[in-house]
Amino acid sequence: MPYPLFDRSRLNIKPLAERAHDLDLGILIGLDEPLGHFEDPGIEPLARAVLSARENNASAILMYGAHVIRSGCALHMIEMMERGQLTMLATNGAGSIHDFELSLVGATCESVARYISEGQFGLWHESGIINDIIKEGAAEGLGWGEALGRYIWENNLPNRDSSVLAAGYRLGIPVTVHVGVGNDIIHEHPNCDGAAMGAASYTDFLIYTQEITNLEGGVFLNFGSAVTGPEVYLKALSMARNVAAQDGREICHFTTAVLDLQPIGGYAPGIDPPKSNPHYYFRPWKTILARTVADGGKSYLVCGEHSLTLPHLARKVWELQP
């Protein structure tokens, strides 16, 4: 059936210089900057779990939503990478877009309310460059994160030192990007190539899944990703356990954590939420905190602003391992 398609050639794509940005590099939290007060009993055991994972030569994975970048946590994430305390990071499409925009123009984030009313939301020329980068990278067999990180670093973008993607490329630590079709502003652009987009992100999924095969004795931290984080992790873990079982191995004894803004009423560690609880549909609980650690793992829920939870956790790791 030849259904009609939207004609992207008619779109009016404007330069980022005409966009009013909500955030700039001033959001970055310096490594020596005083932090606001935050206490949670899960911070120290999670810091110890990160160090234990590295002592065991096991995976230490940090998965994060776009708001973690928007909260100014990049420098702390990069420092953990520099110190060898993370073996992989993973994010969604928006996380990579904010990282790129900050690297390129030192600002990111637009008013959805304003620009959706104007029909201009997401339609900015420089953001769409990502599509060309991904297409080139996919043709070389690269994942989304490596292709974009390479571009930021090798093209010496003005703020590349604060880019998590560029740090991953520079240090040889995978930063994978997991996109959904139509989820991100760059999918609006005429130069978006769905095949290249899918190939690059699927390569990242396979990189991610390979890292999950080393999760026994390791740690998986999910910061602020309510859908992509738990869903990608769930499928990757199933694949990894399938192959491990054939080799006579287990992937059961590891630590997981959900660090998010949303408090979970009725939460109990390791216990599935009942379907009568609306939080049953909050996937991080049942997937990350309960079902995937039911065979010998541990899990922690830490509620708080990302600008507090991630830097406090990072600094606790550094305190325990100066």
Side-chain angles (χ1 to χ4, degrees), residues 195-229:
M197 178 178 71
S201 192
Y202 193 72
T203 293
D204 270 356
F205 175 63
L206 297 181
I207 294 169
Y208 178 100
T209 302
Q210 181 60 31
E211 187 66 29
I212 291 286
T213 66
N214 195 39
L215 190 56
E216 177 73 10
V219 61
F220 174 76
L221 308 170
N222 186 75
F223 280 86
S225 183
V227 177
T228 301

Side-chain angles (χ1 to χ4, degrees), residues 196-274:
M197 178 178 71
S201 192
Y202 193 72
T203 293
D204 270 356
F205 175 63
L206 297 181
I207 294 169
Y208 178 100
T209 302
Q210 181 60 31
E211 187 66 29
I212 291 286
T213 66
N214 195 39
L215 190 56
E216 177 73 10
V219 61
F220 174 76
L221 308 170
N222 186 75
F223 280 86
S225 183
V227 177
T228 301
E231 288 302 313
V232 172
Y233 158 73
L234 179 67
K235 280 70 171 186
L237 180 61
S238 182
M239 293 163 68
R241 282 179 168 171
N242 182 289
V243 172
Q246 297 177 56
D247 296 338
R249 297 187 299 110
E250 289 185 322
I251 307 176
C252 299
H253 308 94
F254 53 84
T255 300
T256 65
V258 172
L259 302 100
D260 212 323
L261 297 168
Q262 180 169 315
I264 304 178
Y267 166 73
I271 305 298
D272 254 19

Side-chain angles (χ1 to χ4, degrees), residues 8 63 243 309:
R8 297 179 297 176
M63 195 152 195
V243 172
T309 58

Side-chain angles (χ1 to χ4, degrees), residues 33 103 126 138 213 256 312:
E33 183 177 331
S103 302
E126 292 88 343
T213 66
T256 65
H312 273 281

Side-chain angles (χ1 to χ4, degrees), residues 16 59 66 96 107 132 164 211 217 247 255 266 281 285-286 288:
L16 275 176
S59 296
S96 72
D132 296 327
V164 173
E211 187 66 29
D247 296 338
T255 300
Y281 302 97
W285 179 357
K286 61 186 178 183
I288 298 174

Side-chain angles (χ1 to χ4, degrees), residues 25 27-31 62 64-82 86 89 95 98-99 102-103 159-168 170 306-307 310-311 314 318:
L25 291 171
I27 62 170
L28 290 174
I29 303 166
L31 300 181
L62 193 161
Y64 60 98
H67 279 81
V68 176
I69 296 297
R70 290 168 54 172
S71 297
C73 297
L75 298 181
H76 284 75
M77 298 159 74
I78 293 168
E79 182 66 15
M80 291 187 77
M81 298 163 76
E82 294 274 7
L86 297 172
L89 295 89
H98 288 308
D99 187 298
L102 284 167
S103 302
N159 306 298
R160 68 176 187 170
D161 289 334
S162 60
S163 164
V164 173
L165 293 170
R170 172 173 58 84
H306 303 313
S307 59
L310 198 151
W318 303 337

